[in-house]
Each structure stands twice: as C-alpha cells, then as structure tokens.
Amino acid sequence: METSLSDTGRGADTVRPPQDVRPIAALAEIAGDYDAIFCDVWGVVHNGVVKHPAAEAALTAARAAGVKVVLLTNSPRPSAGVVAQLGTMDFSHDAYDAIVTSGDATRALIADVAGPVFHIGPERDYDLFAGIDVDLVGEAEARAVIVTGLYNDEVETPADYADMLARLQALDLPMICANPDIVVHRGERLIPCSGALARDYSLIGGTVRLAGKPHRPIYDVASRVLDLKSSSRVLAIGDGLMTDVKGANDFGADALLITDGIHGEELASADSATQTVAAVLSERGLTARYFMAALT
C-alpha cells in the first residue's frame, strides 16, 4: 500500500529515535536480536501465485533459533483462509507460529455495527462474516459499508466505483475497510485492493475505519497471540512503506524493508546505494533499521 488512512493513534512509548538504515545479506545476521518477527505475506513470502522459497527458508531458520514468527497480512479474510492459500503453494508451516490478518482485526469492527451492512467485494471474501450476527443488504438498507476488495479485480479499477461511492457518501454510511492496501502483486501485475476504494471514499468526505497495517488493531492482535509484553524486541518485515514500515514505526518495532516489492521501481538502485533507501524513507517521514532486496 502507498496511501493509508488512520483511525488509531500511537502511544508516546512507541516513538523510536531516528535510525541509520543499512543493508543486510541474510535474516540470520539479525534474527537473534529479536524475540518475535512480524512478517508481511504478499510481496515477501509469495507473489500471489508462487511462494518465495528463500523467504520460507529464512523464517524457518529463525524459528529454529527460537524466534517466534507471525505472518501479518492485510488480507481481508480470516486467518484460516490464508493458511489454506499458503497450503496450495506448499509453504511450510514450519516457517511460522501463527497468522494474523486484517480480516481477523476487522471482524471486531463489523460486530460493533448496529444494523445491516452493504458489502463491496468478491464472494470469496464472504468468510469474513462467518459467525458474526450481521445481515448483508443493499445500499439503501445498510447502516455501514464493508469493503474487502473490488468485485472483479482482474478487469475493474477503482475509478469504476466512483458513482457507487458517491451514492454511499450521500447516504452518510461509514465504511469499514478490511484491507488498507492500495495495490498488491499478483504474479508480475499490480492489482487494486480495497484500500484504493477507502482512499477514494475518504477523499469525497466519507468516514473510513481500518484495522489492518499500519493501524494499531492488527498489531495488538498479533501481540496477544504471542503474549508479547513489549514491542522493543520485535522485527517487522515488509515491502510496503506506508503499511509495513509505517506500521512498525507506530508500533515501536524495528523495520526490515524488502526493496524488491511494490516499491521495486522506486528503489531499483537500493542494492548498491543505501542513500536511495534512506532518501525514500526520509521523504515519507519513516525509519527502517535494515533493508534487503528479498527475504533470504
């Protein structure tokens, strides 16, 4: 994701001092400095089509050395759906202790809605509502909008939803966005995500709530899963500047930026020029302690 919306603040104890970012060749160089790793999924452990074996091996080795690993993803689906997806890619369960999704954190927000909701997104995301006492209705009957993605992200663009978003805003319906990502890799293509619709809804005056990265709820869920008492010995790994890195900064964790991801074109020279990464981070008011092209 490149643009994010915030509905949660950060505590004063999560502010970290500026850091000089430096390249590393392998996760093993630094993994022993941490109790836990929060690792992004899309763009780091797979590209939406196939897994990255080197990332799988790196996380497996970190766990073998005693580091807890949570895969932290802005997928709008509950974690069981992501477990199943990784299974189809033959991604080893030895590489992680748990998976926490934006969908997991979003379900609590949906449960707080007093009334029926209008859903924007594909049928494959219906499991987000499983076990929640909420009715799915049309626009006019809804009390809130839940967006998990585009109905058909293979052919549609966010611009196709301009008229719908204008109608929803005129009805003064709050939007709960299950995935703050603007785009995600699917193979070699960039696919628009629900965060793009949330961004556009906010721009026309709509109210938006989010629970996924970089917002606090998803980090709180991951911390509870591992019973973590502090963020100071957590390493957050990801390729998204305004999701993974900003989320790490706000949470108070160190960040390892994967440069060969959604910002690959912007960071194309990063392998040989630390100043490139430092400049891009500085432009966005972010810090990262380490960077590498791909997780190995």
Side-chain angles (χ1 to χ4, degrees), residues 73 75-79 100-111 128 176-178 210-213 215-222 224:
T73 170
S75 169
R77 307 175 66 188
S79 55
V100 174
T101 72
S102 179
D104 294 330
T106 300
R107 283 168 59 85
L109 300 182
I110 297 173
L128 177 68
I176 296 174
C177 176
L210 307 101
K213 297 178 291 184
H215 307 283
R216 184 73 185 218
I218 193 171
Y219 294 92
D220 289 340
V221 172
R224 288 196 298 271

Side-chain angles (χ1 to χ4, degrees), residues 14-25:
T14 65
V15 179
R16 300 182 70 85
Q19 303 166 348
D20 291 328
V21 65
R22 69 177 178 88
I24 60 171

Side-chain angles (χ1 to χ4, degrees), residues 245-256:
V245 176
K246 185 180 189 317
N249 290 175
D250 290 353
F251 182 60
D254 284 347
L256 165 57

Side-chain angles (χ1 to χ4, degrees), residues 40-51:
D40 185 31
V41 177
W42 285 64
V44 178
V45 304
H46 69 68
N47 67 357
V49 179
V50 296
K51 70 178 182 181

Side-chain angles (χ1 to χ4, degrees), residues 8-99:
T8 57
R10 67 182 183 187
D13 61 341
T14 65
V15 179
R16 300 182 70 85
Q19 303 166 348
D20 291 328
V21 65
R22 69 177 178 88
I24 60 171
L27 179 62
E29 294 178 27
I30 60 171
D33 296 335
Y34 299 95
D35 297 326
I37 290 172
F38 291 174
C39 185
D40 185 31
V41 177
W42 285 64
V44 178
V45 304
H46 69 68
N47 67 357
V49 179
V50 296
K51 70 178 182 181
H52 297 318
E56 176 185 55
L59 294 175
T60 300
R63 287 191 70 231
V67 183
K68 299 293 185 181
V69 175
V70 173
L71 299 184
L72 203 64
T73 170
N74 272 348
S75 169
R77 307 175 66 188
S79 55
V82 178
V83 171
Q85 180 188 33
L86 290 175
T88 65
M89 299 179 185
D90 196 30
F91 188 83
S92 174
H93 204 304
D94 291 338
Y96 61 94
D97 292 274
I99 296 176

Side-chain angles (χ1 to χ4, degrees), residues 13-291:
D13 61 341
T14 65
V15 179
R16 300 182 70 85
Q19 303 166 348
D20 291 328
V21 65
R22 69 177 178 88
I24 60 171
L27 179 62
E29 294 178 27
I30 60 171
D33 296 335
Y34 299 95
D35 297 326
I37 290 172
F38 291 174
C39 185
D40 185 31
V41 177
W42 285 64
V44 178
V45 304
H46 69 68
N47 67 357
V49 179
V50 296
K51 70 178 182 181
H52 297 318
E56 176 185 55
L59 294 175
T60 300
R63 287 191 70 231
V67 183
K68 299 293 185 181
V69 175
V70 173
L71 299 184
L72 203 64
T73 170
N74 272 348
S75 169
R77 307 175 66 188
S79 55
V82 178
V83 171
Q85 180 188 33
L86 290 175
T88 65
M89 299 179 185
D90 196 30
F91 188 83
S92 174
H93 204 304
D94 291 338
Y96 61 94
D97 292 274
I99 296 176
V100 174
T101 72
S102 179
D104 294 330
T106 300
R107 283 168 59 85
L109 300 182
I110 297 173
D112 289 339
V113 175
V117 301
F118 174 63
H119 175 228
I120 301 175
E123 291 186 7
R124 66 175 179 269
D125 294 338
Y126 281 176
D127 56 353
L128 177 68
F129 304 100
I132 300 177
D133 185 17
V134 63
D135 294 323
L136 302 183
V137 297
E139 298 175 23
E141 296 80 30
R143 296 289 299 276
V145 183
I146 313 299
V147 58
T148 61
L150 281 61
Y151 290 118
N152 187 346
D153 57 21
E154 291 288 338
V155 298
E156 293 178 322
T157 71
D160 296 323
Y161 288 76
D163 290 343
M164 175 186 288
L165 295 182
R167 294 194 304 270
L168 298 173
Q169 194 278 330
L171 292 170
D172 197 27
L173 296 180
M175 174 183 285
I176 296 174
C177 176
N179 178 358
D181 285 357
I182 300 296
V183 295
V184 70
H185 269 112
R186 183 175 295 158
E188 298 301 317
R189 296 176 299 142
L190 286 176
I191 301 296
C193 298
S194 59
L197 300 184
R199 172 201 61 197
D200 294 351
Y201 197 57
S202 179
L203 288 174
I204 62 173
T207 299
V208 178
R209 298 189 67 195
L210 307 101
K213 297 178 291 184
H215 307 283
R216 184 73 185 218
I218 193 171
Y219 294 92
D220 289 340
V221 172
S223 297
R224 288 196 298 271
V225 167
L226 295 185
D227 195 27
L228 293 178
K229 305 304 182 185
S230 171
S231 61
S232 63
R233 284 180 56 84
V234 174
L235 177 69
I237 304 173
D239 67 329
L241 290 169
M242 300 309 295
T243 49
D244 302 304
V245 176
K246 185 180 189 317
N249 290 175
D250 290 353
F251 182 60
D254 284 347
L256 165 57
L257 173 63
I258 302 302
T259 58
D260 189 16
I262 61 172
H263 301 287
E265 194 170 310
E266 185 177 10
L267 298 170
S269 62
D271 283 337
S272 59
T274 300
Q275 59 266 32
T276 301
V277 176
V280 170
L281 290 167
S282 179
E283 287 170 3
R284 290 166 171 79
L286 303 173
T287 63
R289 190 172 289 276
Y290 312 105
F291 72 91

